[in-house]
Amino acid sequence: MRGYLHKSLSATVEFIVETDKADLLERPVSPEMVVFYITQDTQRHPLLPELKSGGFKVTGKMSTQCSLLDPIAGELTVEASSVPIHSIDIHLLRMESILLGEKIISETSLIQTTQVADGDVCRNMTLPIYVILPRLLTCPTVLAGPFSVEFKVSVVISFRSELSKLHKKSDPTTPRLWLAMETLPLELVRTN
């Protein structure tokens, strides 16, 4: 406030807070590897008829607990697919939730997409997963009473389809007929 005849001044500043590394965990985080598999039977949304009838199977493992300084690591294998694959992507999602009265209000944001494969991949070949976390968009997982910031990792397989060509600008987190996905929780911790 600057008085009666002058406009008030205000400024907005974005800043990042880093703590002294002496206060952080000493021990390294042992990555918890979670085994996953994706088939036509694990999908909870409708699929293309040729995917339902012909089938597909993708297996893999991925770390679901890691330090902010370490990448998300893992591997996946396309064991079978009757329809050619267009691409395989890893989506990093941030979920922010607050408790408002009796309701929990959540908002999910796609913060990063990393492409693991482009085009149809060889069957039974192990593909590495290596996702570097974006420093400005991630933080340790926080569960603090009515407020939480959590993360998830989605493995998204896009199959070749004439229908997918018609919907080029679709939301990548929305299940589509030509997509198969598996979402895993991700716990991020800060270590030195």
Side-chain angles (χ1 to χ4, degrees):
M1 301 296 288
R2 294 182 26 179
Y4 181 70
L5 296 174
H6 300 294
K7 275 186 158 180
S8 298
L9 296 176
S10 66
T12 304
V13 177
E14 185 175 327
F15 60 94
I16 299 171
V17 177
E18 287 193 27
T19 62
D20 185 23
K21 292 187 182 251
D23 298 337
L24 301 176
L25 298 173
E26 286 296 324
R27 59 180 177 78
V29 177
S30 61
E32 290 186 18
M33 298 297 267
V34 171
V35 176
F36 64 88
Y37 66 97
I38 306 170
T39 67
Q40 67 276 9
D41 299 326
T42 62
Q43 303 304 298
R44 289 173 291 233
H45 64 280
L47 294 171
L48 292 169
E50 54 267 27
L51 282 174
K52 277 291 211 189
S53 62
F56 60 92
K57 184 175 183 182
V58 176
T59 60
K61 60 183 178 180
M62 190 180 316
S63 56
T64 58
Q65 181 185 33
C66 62
S67 167
L68 287 168
L69 303 174
D70 297 333
I72 300 169
E75 60 186 36
L76 65 84
T77 304
V78 178
E79 294 183 10
S81 178
S82 61
V83 177
I85 292 173
H86 181 261
S87 68
I88 301 174
D89 300 304
I90 305 294
H91 294 284
L92 181 59
L93 307 168
R94 180 178 56 220
M95 294 177 38
E96 301 171 21
S97 303
I98 60 167
L99 182 64
L100 185 64
E102 297 290 318
K103 293 182 2 179
I104 296 176
I105 299 173
S106 295
E107 183 176 313
T108 302
S109 307
L110 174 66
I111 58 173
Q112 180 173 304
T113 299
T114 303
Q115 189 173 46
V116 175
D118 182 26
D120 203 13
V121 299
C122 296
R123 306 303 182 249
N124 296 314
M125 185 174 92
T126 302
L127 301 173
I129 296 172
Y130 192 85
V131 178
I132 296 174
L133 298 170
R135 183 173 180 169
L136 294 178
L137 300 173
T138 55
C139 66
T141 301
V142 177
L143 301 170
F147 173 76
S148 69
V149 177
E150 299 171 271
F151 296 91
K152 290 187 176 186
V153 171
S154 287
V155 179
V156 181
I157 303 164
S158 176
F159 295 94
R160 283 195 194 139
S161 165
E162 293 300 319
L163 195 57
S164 67
K165 293 176 186 174
L166 300 174
H167 299 279
K168 289 272 188 205
K169 297 279 185 184
S170 63
D171 179 17
T173 59
T174 304
R176 300 287 183 181
L177 294 174
W178 59 88
L179 294 179
M181 58 182 65
E182 182 67 29
T183 303
L184 306 169
L186 176 66
E187 183 183 359
L188 298 178
V189 296
R190 187 179 302 278
T191 59
N192 60 354

